[in-house]
Amino acid sequence: MDWKREWKPLAVIVAAFLACFYLPVGTPRFDNAVNESLHLVKWYAQEHVLLCLIPAFFIAGAIGVFVSQASVMRYLGAKANKVLAYGVASVSGTILAVCSCTVLPLFAGIYRMGAGLGPASAFLYSGPAINVLAIFLTARILGLEMGVARAVGAVVFSIIVGLIMHFIYRKEENSRAEAQMALPDPPTARPLWQTVLYFASMIAILVFANWGKSSEPVGIWNAIHDFKWYLTALSAAALGLMLATWFKVAWWKVAATAIAVAILGLIFREHPLIPFAAGFVGLSIITSTDDGEMGNWFEQTWGFAKQILPLLLFGVLVAGLLLGRPGHEGVIPSDWISRSVGGNSLWANLFASVAGAFMYFATLTEIPILQGLMGSGMGKGPALALLLAGPALSLPSMLVLRSIMGLKKTAVFVSVVVVMATITGLIYGYLFG
C-alpha cells in the first residue's frame, strides 16, 4: 500500500463515516435545519432556475459562439484600455439586475472568450451589486446616506477588486493575453449591430421576466412590473424574428414555437412560468437539432448548465442547512449573528462581511433582512459591510467560481471582497455610526 498517495482518500472516507455516525438526526435544530434547506432549494428552483439561470445560460452560450474573441479582448482583455474596460464592467449591473448566481454563466462566458481577469472580476462583482432598484430601495428603507454609500461603494469596489485581481495575477494574465492574440480571429457572419440587437433581446427577456414588484403601487417601476410579461413576450418575439431572418432558422420552427407559447399563455394566464418554460423548450429543440452555429450555441449553453447548475443547487442546499431562510433558522442560531454585528468594531465588520459572503441573497432580499438585523442592534458600519459583500458572493457562487477559475483565484477574489467590505464598513461606521 502506498500510504503517501492513499491517505487522502482514506481521510475523506473516515471523515464522511464519522459525520454520518454522529449525525444529529432527531434533534429539533438539526431536523428544522434540514427542513429549511429543502424549503430554500425548492424556492430557488421555482423562482430562479427558470427565470434567471436558463436565460443566463443561453446568453453565456451565445457569447461563446456569436461574439468574436478579438472583440472581447479589444474591450475587456488584459491589454485593453483600462478606463473603458473597467468603466464598462463596473456599471454593467445597472442593466443586468441579477443575483450572485445568475451572473456566473455570464462571467464564465466573457472570461473564457478572453476577457482579462481584472475586468471580468469587476463585472463579476458589479453584476449583482449595482442594481438600480436595490439602490433606490436601500436609500428609501435604510436611509439616503446608506443608499448613496452602497451605490458609490459598489462602483468603486468593483474597480478596485478588478485592479487587485489583475495586479496579483498580472504575469499569468499577460501570458494568457499574448497566447490569445496569436490565435486567428474567425470571420464574422453578420454585422455588429445585428449581434448587439440579438443580445439586447435576450438581456431584455432576462431583465423583464425577473422585474420585481415595487414597494408602492405607483410610478414607472410599478408600471413596468404590471406589464413585465407583455414586455418579455415582445422581447421573445423580437428574438424569434432575428433568428428567422439573420440566423437562417426555418420560419416554420420559429412559428411553431411561438404559436405553442401563445396558446399556453392564453390557457394559463395565471401561470406565466408555463409559457415561459415552453418558449425555452422550443428554443432548445430548434438549436439542439441544428448542425450549424445554432447547434454550437446549444452545445455551449448545455456545457454551462452541466457545469454550474448542480453546484448551485448543492450550494443552496448547504447554505439553507447552515443559515436557514429569512425568518427561519438553520443549524447556526440567528441570534449568534445579530449579537455579533452590534457596534462598529473590527470583529463586527469582519463578521458581517464573512456572514454576508456565505449567505445567499436573492435580488432585493438583502434589504428586509438587513432592516431586521439593524432593528436588532446591528451597527451601520457592519450593515454596509454586509451590503457590499453579501449580494456579490454566496456559498453556491463560490463553489461554481472554483470550477471556472480555480481554487486559488476564487479564494483571492473572496478574500479581497471580504477585506475591502470590512475596511469600508469600519470607515463608514466611524463617520456616520
Side-chain angles (χ1 to χ4, degrees), residues 284-331:
S284 300
I285 294 173
I286 290 173
T287 51
S288 63
T289 54
D290 188 275
D291 294 329
E293 58 183 5
M294 289 291 104
N296 292 335
W297 180 19
F298 184 81
E299 284 184 10
Q300 291 276 343
T301 303
W302 176 233
F304 284 117
K306 278 194 300 184
Q307 179 187 11
I308 293 174
L309 192 54
L311 290 171
L312 279 182
L313 292 175
F314 175 72
V316 171
L317 202 63
V318 174
L321 181 72
L322 296 176
L323 300 165
R325 296 175 293 158
H328 304 271
E329 288 189 346
V331 171

Side-chain angles (χ1 to χ4, degrees), residues 12 39 47 64 92 99 124 135 137 155-156 212 254 314 317 404 428:
V12 171
H39 274 294
E47 299 292 332
S92 57
C99 68
L124 175 64
I135 298 295
L137 278 178
V155 172
V156 175
V254 176
F314 175 72
L317 202 63
I404 297 172
Y428 179 77

Side-chain angles (χ1 to χ4, degrees), residues 72-223:
V72 175
M73 291 174 61
R74 187 178 304 124
Y75 297 109
L76 294 174
K79 295 186 176 180
N81 181 300
K82 296 290 186 293
V83 176
L84 178 64
Y86 287 94
V88 170
S90 64
V91 298
S92 57
T94 56
I95 301 172
L96 293 173
V98 294
C99 68
S100 61
C101 294
T102 311
V103 76
L104 294 171
L106 309 180
F107 164 76
I110 64 170
Y111 183 57
R112 288 179 183 173
M113 284 299 292
L117 183 61
S121 299
F123 170 78
L124 175 64
Y125 178 84
S126 74
I130 309 171
N131 179 323
V132 173
L133 187 57
I135 298 295
F136 275 111
L137 278 178
T138 302
R140 185 174 183 81
I141 296 174
L142 303 179
L144 180 62
E145 68 182 32
M146 183 68 80
V148 173
R150 182 182 185 183
V152 174
V155 172
V156 175
F157 238 63
S158 65
I159 295 173
I160 295 176
V161 167
L163 288 173
I164 291 175
M165 291 295 289
H166 175 77
F167 178 77
I168 293 174
Y169 293 99
R170 60 190 182 281
K171 291 183 180 178
E172 182 181 330
E173 282 295 289
N174 289 334
S175 302
R176 179 168 168 251
E178 289 172 3
Q180 289 167 337
M181 291 179 70
L183 295 174
D185 192 38
T188 55
R190 58 192 60 83
L192 177 63
W193 65 272
Q194 290 185 355
T195 304
V196 170
L197 289 178
Y198 161 71
F199 275 96
S201 67
M202 289 193 290
I203 292 173
I205 292 171
L206 173 66
V207 171
F208 288 131
N210 291 279
W211 198 274
K213 190 173 185 177
S214 174
S215 58
E216 294 187 8
V218 293
I220 184 67
W221 302 108
N222 188 67

